[in-house]
Amino acid sequence: MNIIIEKNYEAMSKKAAEIFSEFIENKPDCILGLATGGTPVEMYKNLIRMNKEGKVDFSKVNSINLDEYRGLSGDHDQSYRYFMNTNLFNNININKANTFVPNGLAKDIEEECKNYDERIEQIGGIDLQLLGIGNNGHIGFNEPAEFLNTKTHLTHLTEDTIQSNARFFDKIEDVPTEAITMGLGGIMKAKRIVLIASGEGKANIISKILEGKITTDIPATLLQVHPDVTIIVDEAAAKLIKQP
Ligand code: GLP
């Protein structure tokens, strides 16, 4: 895994946006895997600015999002579809019909998950996947567990994740307890992966995923077997990385 350490959140976000825009320049019709959470917000702002300045063109890009809360409609201001629309898609020249986020209101969840994986295959697989990381090492909503799923599936959020994501909701009882998430197989099949993390709160988990031990208790440690992963962190999140 390659690691890039930037001074602060702003520099980390700029670096990640540059990697994405260069990638799109080289492959204008690429398939991007996109993520939500607090971390990518500034990176998306950079991409919006670059798009407005004519430096990056999303017109032929397709995007696949990692996950969605179960029970929230795309109009709900805490749904990941709403997040993507407001933080990126509404502000760039992407064709919304080419942006995919799981449907949190799907009646038949199994069917929704199956269709989601089929769609990824049909459009040619993910070229470049963006990941954030949960404090407990989850990626997408693949939570620590004895067994991990390879395919898109319904997952129960851990108490830890519910607590951390409560900051986005009025009260903790409003945080959905379930989500649809791409599985580890879907993520690992991406040709290239960029994981971003910022702040002291992520220092512990970042050091663990670089340690060299793989465990389903920390799903992100599986990234160690992927051939092309770049981790971009700021100095605060890099604080506990052991020097070689
Ligand atoms: C959510 C998302 C993850 C994201 C994580 C970290 O749980 N499902 O994809 O990586 O939050 O979020 P943040 O960037 O806000 O720390």
Side-chain angles (χ1 to χ4, degrees):
M1 296 201 279
N2 306 314
I3 174 119
I4 299 175
I5 302 174
E6 295 286 346
K7 184 121 204 84
N8 51 31
Y9 175 63
E10 284 69 30
M12 179 214 74
S13 305
K14 192 159 172 273
K15 181 74 190 169
E18 279 163 10
I19 291 177
F20 270 71
S21 78
E22 267 169 42
F23 193 91
I24 298 166
E25 198 179 336
N26 290 326
K27 192 171 186 211
D29 59 348
C30 63
I31 320 292
L32 298 181
L34 296 177
T36 53
T39 313
V41 170
E42 187 67 24
M43 171 193 160
Y44 290 155
K45 279 192 188 148
N46 274 276
L47 286 173
I48 293 168
R49 178 184 44 79
M50 289 162 139
N51 183 238
K52 296 214 186 313
E53 290 168 358
K55 292 180 183 149
V56 58
D57 175 17
F58 288 88
S59 61
K60 297 197 186 80
V61 169
N62 274 256
S63 75
I64 298 279
N65 259 79
L66 283 166
D67 45 17
E68 178 61 283
Y69 287 118
R70 184 181 192 187
L72 299 192
S73 78
D75 296 335
H76 189 289
D77 65 2
Q78 288 310 325
S79 74
Y80 285 166
R81 161 53 78 183
Y82 186 90
F83 174 99
M84 289 311 299
N85 286 349
T86 51
N87 285 289
L88 188 65
F89 301 150
N90 288 349
N91 308 305
I92 57 172
N93 70 332
I94 200 164
N95 178 353
K96 279 253 192 82
N98 295 336
T99 67
F100 301 100
V101 180
N103 175 8
L105 292 185
K107 291 227 160 49
D108 188 338
I109 294 281
E110 249 175 66
E111 187 66 13
E112 172 68 15
C113 294
K114 193 167 140 272
N115 291 343
Y116 206 66
D117 285 334
E118 279 172 10
R119 185 174 296 138
I120 299 174
E121 291 297 317
Q122 272 161 18
I123 61 174
I126 294 167
D127 293 304
L128 175 58
Q129 175 70 54
L130 177 69
L131 295 177
I133 185 158
N135 294 329
N136 62 2
H138 74 227
I139 43 180
F141 267 133
N142 291 276
E143 295 280 38
E146 194 177 347
F147 301 102
L148 299 177
N149 282 281
T150 59
K151 295 187 172 161
T152 298
H153 59 280
L154 182 71
T155 183
H156 297 269
L157 305 185
T158 60
E159 204 41 51
D160 185 82
T161 298
I162 292 172
Q163 296 276 355
S164 350
N165 290 0
R167 69 201 139 115
F168 298 115
F169 292 81
D170 290 338
K171 47 186 191 315
I172 194 157
E173 296 76 42
D174 293 343
V175 185
T177 55
E178 293 178 320
I180 298 172
T181 182
M182 257 167 66
L184 261 303
I187 294 171
M188 296 294 279
K189 269 194 244 165
K191 295 177 191 83
R192 182 173 176 196
I193 295 176
V194 169
L195 184 148
I196 55 175
S198 158
E200 234 177 290
K202 297 283 169 75
N204 185 35
I205 195 66
I206 287 296
S207 74
K208 287 211 172 107
I209 64 176
L210 289 165
E211 246 171 31
K213 288 188 197 120
I214 295 173
T215 167
T216 59
D217 287 337
I218 308 175
T221 57
L222 263 89
L223 296 173
Q224 290 170 26
V225 295
H226 190 282
D228 193 352
V229 177
T230 303
I231 298 184
I232 313 175
V233 289
D234 59 12
E235 284 177 1
K239 227 172 93 176
L240 300 176
I241 298 174
K242 290 191 192 78
Q243 297 304 317

